[in-house]
Amino acid sequence: RKEVEQDPGPFNVPEGATVAFNCTYSNSASQSFFWYRQDCRKEPKLLMSVYSSGNEDGRFTAQLNRASQYISLLIRDSKLSDSATYLCVVKGTYKYIFGTGTRLKVLA
Amino acid sequence: DADVTQTPRNRITKTGKRIMLECSQTKGHDRMYWYRQDPGLGLQLIYYSFDVKDINKGEISDGYSVSRQAQAKFSLSLESAIPNQTALYFCATSDSRTALGSNEQFFGPGTRLTVL
C-alpha cells in the first residue's frame, strides 16, 4: 500500500463547477498535511496547509480527518486557471511524502 | 528574485558522464532536499540535509551523492550517469524552526536532465 494515495484523475469539469479531491495516508503518526499545486513541468507550489479544524482560503477548502486518515480539497467556482495537478503531501517527523497527484482540467 | 535556484535548468548528457546539479537558497532555511520526479510517479526523495554537517539518504540514493557546501548550497552529483536517471530533479528547503502545520517545503524551478 502506498503511504499517500490519490486518485490520478483526470477530473474534467466545466468552469464554475465545484470539485473535490481526496487523499488517504497510511501513517497515523503523521504530523503535518499540505496541498500543493503543480503546473506542467514546473515546481510544486504550496496551495494550503491543512489543519485539524479545517481551513478555507477563498474558493479553496481543506479538511483533515485523522480518524479515517484522509485529507480533502474542495474547489468552488472553478476557473480555467485552476487547471493543474494537485499534490497531497503528508509530513512525519522529518520526511515529506508526496502523492502522485490528481490532475484537474477546467473546461470553458 | 527566486528564493530557491537551481542550475542548470536543462542538461543533456551521455551515459557514463559525471554530472553535478546545484541548488542555492536565500530563505535562510536549515533543511534542504533533493527529489526526482518521473511521469506518473510522486516525488521521490534522493537525499536530505538538516544542516551543513548532516547528510542522509532518501528512498533512492543509489547512483547519487550530495554535498552541503554551506547552509545555502546543496549540490547533487551523478557519478556515472545512466539513462534511467533521466528525470526532472527538484531541490527543496524547509525551516525546522517553524510550527508544525506551517513547515512547508519550498521548491526550486527544477532541472530537466536527459541521459542518452
Side-chain angles (χ1 to χ4, degrees), chain A residues 3 31-34 36 38 41-46 49-51 87 91 93-100, chain B residues 31 33 35 37 40-43 45 48 50 59 88 90 94 100-105 107-109 112:
Chain A
E3 292 183 78
Q31 299 177 344
S32 303
F33 308 87
F34 309 93
Y36 277 72
Q38 186 175 26
R41 300 185 179 209
K42 298 285 183 70
E43 73 272 27
K45 293 185 178 179
L46 181 70
S49 300
V50 187
Y51 302 115
L87 306 176
K91 181 180 180 292
T93 306
Y94 63 86
K95 204 166 68 164
Y96 296 78
I97 308 296
F98 288 77
T100 53
Chain B
R31 298 183 173 185
Y33 309 78
Y35 293 91
Q37 188 175 38
L41 299 179
L43 275 78
L45 183 63
Y48 62 100
F50 284 175
E59 312 163 281
L88 186 54
F90 289 108
S94 69
L100 286 176
S102 300
N103 51 351
E104 70 267 28
Q105 288 184 311
F107 285 83
R112 185 165 299 280

